Amino acid sequence: MNSRPTPFDELDRKILTALMANARTSFAEIGAAIGLSSTAVKRRVDRLRETGVITGFTATVKPSALGWRTEAYVEVYCEGAAPPRRLAEVVRNHPEITAAMTVTGGADALLHVRARDVEHFEEVLERIRTEPFIRKTISVMVLSHLLPDSPEAGANQAAPDGAADVR
């Protein structure tokens, strides 16, 4: 893997800004805004995708529309030094975990969990705690999003089957 950053110029930055604001913006619209043809914008977007600067295009969906009505962050504390690879295996087995990362400080990892309701969250938490190397967890429930347009406020996956049936 190449560890050097991919060089890009001010026009690339403007293209990225436009796509981050609305990934459905047409190349013609972006080109008109920054002074390039739609073909030139497409070539630049293709290059930014090929070099890994752009990693994909997604839709941001209101979590409650997908059945996710409860949200929390969970600090995970492990026995000894749990390798990140092992933690990654564990979190992949829980569709309710929408983001996970290793962190500095007292905790070994931080998980972003979405659930249908508090009971579902408790069930997810108990499943996570069954892992033999997890010593303890500390959970913080999300009450509201102060930046409602942030990526964290949206959802990128549907709730498990039947979740949307919850009132």
Short mmCIF file of all heavy atoms in Angstrom, two decimals, residues 76-83 86-87 89-90 93-94 108 125-137:
data_model
loop_
_atom_site.label_atom_id
_atom_site.label_comp_id
_atom_site.label_asym_id
_atom_site.label_seq_id
_atom_site.Cartn_x
_atom_site.Cartn_y
_atom_site.Cartn_z
N VAL A 76 -14.93 -0.16 25.01
CA VAL A 76 -14.63 -1.57 25.26
C VAL A 76 -13.25 -1.66 25.91
O VAL A 76 -12.28 -1.09 25.41
CB VAL A 76 -14.64 -2.38 23.94
CG1 VAL A 76 -14.21 -3.82 24.17
CG2 VAL A 76 -16.02 -2.32 23.31
N TYR A 77 -13.21 -2.38 27.02
CA TYR A 77 -11.96 -2.61 27.76
C TYR A 77 -11.63 -4.09 27.68
O TYR A 77 -12.49 -4.93 28.00
CB TYR A 77 -12.12 -2.18 29.22
CG TYR A 77 -12.38 -0.71 29.38
CD1 TYR A 77 -13.66 -0.18 29.17
CD2 TYR A 77 -11.36 0.16 29.74
CE1 TYR A 77 -13.90 1.18 29.31
CE2 TYR A 77 -11.59 1.52 29.88
CZ TYR A 77 -12.86 2.02 29.66
OH TYR A 77 -13.10 3.36 29.79
N CYS A 78 -10.43 -4.41 27.24
CA CYS A 78 -10.05 -5.80 27.01
C CYS A 78 -9.07 -6.30 28.08
O CYS A 78 -8.34 -5.51 28.68
CB CYS A 78 -9.40 -5.95 25.64
SG CYS A 78 -10.47 -5.46 24.29
N GLU A 79 -9.07 -7.63 28.26
CA GLU A 79 -8.05 -8.28 29.09
C GLU A 79 -6.77 -8.31 28.29
O GLU A 79 -6.77 -8.77 27.15
CB GLU A 79 -8.47 -9.72 29.44
CG GLU A 79 -9.64 -9.83 30.36
CD GLU A 79 -9.33 -9.36 31.78
OE1 GLU A 79 -8.14 -9.26 32.15
OE2 GLU A 79 -10.30 -9.07 32.50
N GLY A 80 -5.68 -7.83 28.86
CA GLY A 80 -4.42 -7.83 28.13
C GLY A 80 -4.50 -6.94 26.91
O GLY A 80 -5.28 -6.00 26.84
N ALA A 81 -3.71 -7.29 25.93
CA ALA A 81 -3.66 -6.50 24.70
C ALA A 81 -4.39 -7.24 23.60
O ALA A 81 -3.85 -8.15 22.98
CB ALA A 81 -2.21 -6.24 24.29
N ALA A 82 -5.64 -6.90 23.38
CA ALA A 82 -6.42 -7.53 22.31
C ALA A 82 -5.99 -6.92 20.98
O ALA A 82 -6.02 -5.70 20.82
CB ALA A 82 -7.90 -7.31 22.54
N PRO A 83 -5.56 -7.76 20.04
CA PRO A 83 -5.10 -7.20 18.76
C PRO A 83 -6.27 -6.59 17.98
O PRO A 83 -7.38 -7.13 18.00
CB PRO A 83 -4.53 -8.42 18.03
CG PRO A 83 -5.10 -9.61 18.70
CD PRO A 83 -5.46 -9.20 20.09
N ARG A 86 -8.42 -8.95 15.96
CA ARG A 86 -9.41 -9.75 16.69
C ARG A 86 -10.65 -8.90 17.01
O ARG A 86 -11.78 -9.36 16.90
CB ARG A 86 -8.79 -10.30 17.98
CG ARG A 86 -9.74 -11.12 18.81
CD ARG A 86 -10.16 -12.41 18.10
NE ARG A 86 -11.11 -13.14 18.93
CZ ARG A 86 -12.37 -13.36 18.62
NH1 ARG A 86 -12.86 -12.93 17.48
NH2 ARG A 86 -13.16 -14.02 19.43
N LEU A 87 -10.42 -7.65 17.41
CA LEU A 87 -11.55 -6.75 17.67
C LEU A 87 -12.37 -6.55 16.39
O LEU A 87 -13.61 -6.55 16.44
CB LEU A 87 -11.05 -5.41 18.19
CG LEU A 87 -10.57 -5.39 19.63
CD1 LEU A 87 -9.80 -4.10 19.92
CD2 LEU A 87 -11.73 -5.53 20.59
N GLU A 89 -12.77 -8.64 13.93
CA GLU A 89 -13.56 -9.86 13.70
C GLU A 89 -14.84 -9.84 14.53
O GLU A 89 -15.91 -10.18 14.06
CB GLU A 89 -12.75 -11.10 14.07
CG GLU A 89 -11.61 -11.42 13.12
CD GLU A 89 -10.72 -12.54 13.67
OE1 GLU A 89 -11.12 -13.23 14.63
OE2 GLU A 89 -9.62 -12.71 13.12
N VAL A 90 -14.71 -9.42 15.77
CA VAL A 90 -15.86 -9.39 16.68
C VAL A 90 -16.90 -8.39 16.20
O VAL A 90 -18.09 -8.72 16.11
CB VAL A 90 -15.41 -9.06 18.12
CG1 VAL A 90 -16.61 -8.74 19.01
CG2 VAL A 90 -14.60 -10.20 18.70
N ASN A 93 -19.33 -9.22 13.41
CA ASN A 93 -20.40 -10.17 13.71
C ASN A 93 -21.64 -9.50 14.30
O ASN A 93 -22.60 -10.20 14.64
CB ASN A 93 -19.90 -11.25 14.69
CG ASN A 93 -18.88 -12.15 14.03
OD1 ASN A 93 -18.96 -12.42 12.85
ND2 ASN A 93 -17.92 -12.59 14.80
N HIS A 94 -21.63 -8.20 14.44
CA HIS A 94 -22.74 -7.47 15.04
C HIS A 94 -23.20 -6.39 14.06
O HIS A 94 -22.59 -5.32 13.99
CB HIS A 94 -22.32 -6.84 16.37
CG HIS A 94 -21.83 -7.83 17.37
ND1 HIS A 94 -22.67 -8.63 18.11
CD2 HIS A 94 -20.57 -8.17 17.73
CE1 HIS A 94 -21.95 -9.41 18.89
NE2 HIS A 94 -20.68 -9.16 18.68
N ASP A 108 -9.89 0.32 25.08
CA ASP A 108 -9.15 -0.24 23.94
C ASP A 108 -9.84 0.06 22.62
O ASP A 108 -9.19 0.16 21.58
CB ASP A 108 -9.04 -1.76 24.11
CG ASP A 108 -8.17 -2.12 25.31
OD1 ASP A 108 -6.97 -1.84 25.25
OD2 ASP A 108 -8.71 -2.65 26.29
N LEU A 125 -25.40 -5.37 23.60
CA LEU A 125 -24.35 -5.18 24.60
C LEU A 125 -23.99 -6.51 25.27
O LEU A 125 -22.81 -6.82 25.47
CB LEU A 125 -24.80 -4.15 25.63
CG LEU A 125 -23.75 -3.57 26.54
CD1 LEU A 125 -22.61 -2.95 25.77
CD2 LEU A 125 -24.40 -2.54 27.47
N GLU A 126 -24.99 -7.30 25.59
CA GLU A 126 -24.72 -8.60 26.21
C GLU A 126 -24.00 -9.53 25.25
O GLU A 126 -23.11 -10.28 25.67
CB GLU A 126 -26.02 -9.21 26.73
CG GLU A 126 -26.52 -8.46 27.95
CD GLU A 126 -27.75 -9.08 28.59
OE1 GLU A 126 -28.01 -10.28 28.35
OE2 GLU A 126 -28.42 -8.37 29.34
N ARG A 127 -24.33 -9.48 23.97
CA ARG A 127 -23.61 -10.30 22.99
C ARG A 127 -22.15 -9.88 22.90
O ARG A 127 -21.26 -10.72 22.83
CB ARG A 127 -24.25 -10.19 21.61
CG ARG A 127 -25.43 -11.10 21.41
CD ARG A 127 -25.85 -11.17 19.95
NE ARG A 127 -26.67 -10.01 19.61
CZ ARG A 127 -26.50 -9.23 18.55
NH1 ARG A 127 -25.52 -9.45 17.72
NH2 ARG A 127 -27.31 -8.21 18.32
N ILE A 128 -21.91 -8.56 22.91
CA ILE A 128 -20.53 -8.06 22.85
C ILE A 128 -19.76 -8.52 24.09
O ILE A 128 -18.62 -8.98 24.00
CB ILE A 128 -20.52 -6.52 22.75
CG1 ILE A 128 -21.08 -6.07 21.39
CG2 ILE A 128 -19.11 -5.97 22.97
CD1 ILE A 128 -21.41 -4.60 21.31
N ARG A 129 -20.39 -8.46 25.24
CA ARG A 129 -19.74 -8.82 26.50
C ARG A 129 -19.43 -10.31 26.63
O ARG A 129 -18.66 -10.70 27.49
CB ARG A 129 -20.60 -8.39 27.68
CG ARG A 129 -20.66 -6.90 27.88
CD ARG A 129 -21.62 -6.57 29.00
NE ARG A 129 -21.62 -5.15 29.31
CZ ARG A 129 -22.58 -4.55 29.98
NH1 ARG A 129 -23.61 -5.24 30.44
NH2 ARG A 129 -22.52 -3.26 30.22
N THR A 130 -20.02 -11.14 25.78
CA THR A 130 -19.73 -12.58 25.87
C THR A 130 -18.36 -12.93 25.29
O THR A 130 -17.88 -14.04 25.51
CB THR A 130 -20.79 -13.43 25.13
OG1 THR A 130 -20.77 -13.11 23.74
CG2 THR A 130 -22.17 -13.22 25.73
N GLU A 131 -17.75 -12.01 24.58
CA GLU A 131 -16.42 -12.29 24.04
C GLU A 131 -15.45 -12.49 25.21
O GLU A 131 -15.42 -11.67 26.13
CB GLU A 131 -15.95 -11.14 23.15
CG GLU A 131 -16.76 -10.98 21.89
CD GLU A 131 -16.69 -12.19 20.97
OE1 GLU A 131 -15.65 -12.87 20.95
OE2 GLU A 131 -17.68 -12.44 20.28
N PRO A 132 -14.67 -13.57 25.20
CA PRO A 132 -13.84 -13.91 26.35
C PRO A 132 -12.77 -12.88 26.71
O PRO A 132 -12.38 -12.78 27.88
CB PRO A 132 -13.20 -15.24 25.96
CG PRO A 132 -13.36 -15.36 24.49
CD PRO A 132 -14.56 -14.53 24.10
N PHE A 133 -12.32 -12.09 25.76
CA PHE A 133 -11.26 -11.13 26.06
C PHE A 133 -11.79 -9.76 26.46
O PHE A 133 -11.02 -8.87 26.80
CB PHE A 133 -10.30 -10.99 24.87
CG PHE A 133 -10.95 -10.46 23.63
CD1 PHE A 133 -11.02 -9.09 23.39
CD2 PHE A 133 -11.49 -11.32 22.69
CE1 PHE A 133 -11.61 -8.60 22.25
CE2 PHE A 133 -12.08 -10.84 21.53
CZ PHE A 133 -12.14 -9.47 21.33
N ILE A 134 -13.10 -9.56 26.47
CA ILE A 134 -13.67 -8.28 26.87
C ILE A 134 -13.89 -8.28 28.37
O ILE A 134 -14.63 -9.09 28.91
CB ILE A 134 -14.96 -7.97 26.09
CG1 ILE A 134 -14.59 -7.77 24.61
CG2 ILE A 134 -15.66 -6.73 26.67
CD1 ILE A 134 -15.73 -7.45 23.70
N ARG A 135 -13.20 -7.36 29.04
CA ARG A 135 -13.27 -7.26 30.50
C ARG A 135 -14.48 -6.46 30.96
O ARG A 135 -15.17 -6.84 31.89
CB ARG A 135 -11.98 -6.61 31.02
CG ARG A 135 -11.90 -6.45 32.52
CD ARG A 135 -10.52 -6.00 32.99
NE ARG A 135 -9.95 -4.91 32.22
CZ ARG A 135 -10.09 -3.62 32.52
NH1 ARG A 135 -10.80 -3.25 33.56
NH2 ARG A 135 -9.53 -2.70 31.77
N LYS A 136 -14.74 -5.31 30.30
CA LYS A 136 -15.89 -4.49 30.66
C LYS A 136 -16.23 -3.55 29.52
O LYS A 136 -15.44 -3.35 28.60
CB LYS A 136 -15.65 -3.71 31.95
CG LYS A 136 -14.74 -2.50 31.81
CD LYS A 136 -14.68 -1.70 33.12
CE LYS A 136 -13.84 -0.45 32.93
NZ LYS A 136 -13.88 0.42 34.09
N THR A 137 -17.42 -2.97 29.61
CA THR A 137 -17.84 -1.95 28.66
C THR A 137 -18.45 -0.79 29.44
O THR A 137 -18.96 -0.98 30.54
CB THR A 137 -18.91 -2.49 27.67
OG1 THR A 137 -20.05 -2.90 28.41
CG2 THR A 137 -18.37 -3.64 26.84
#
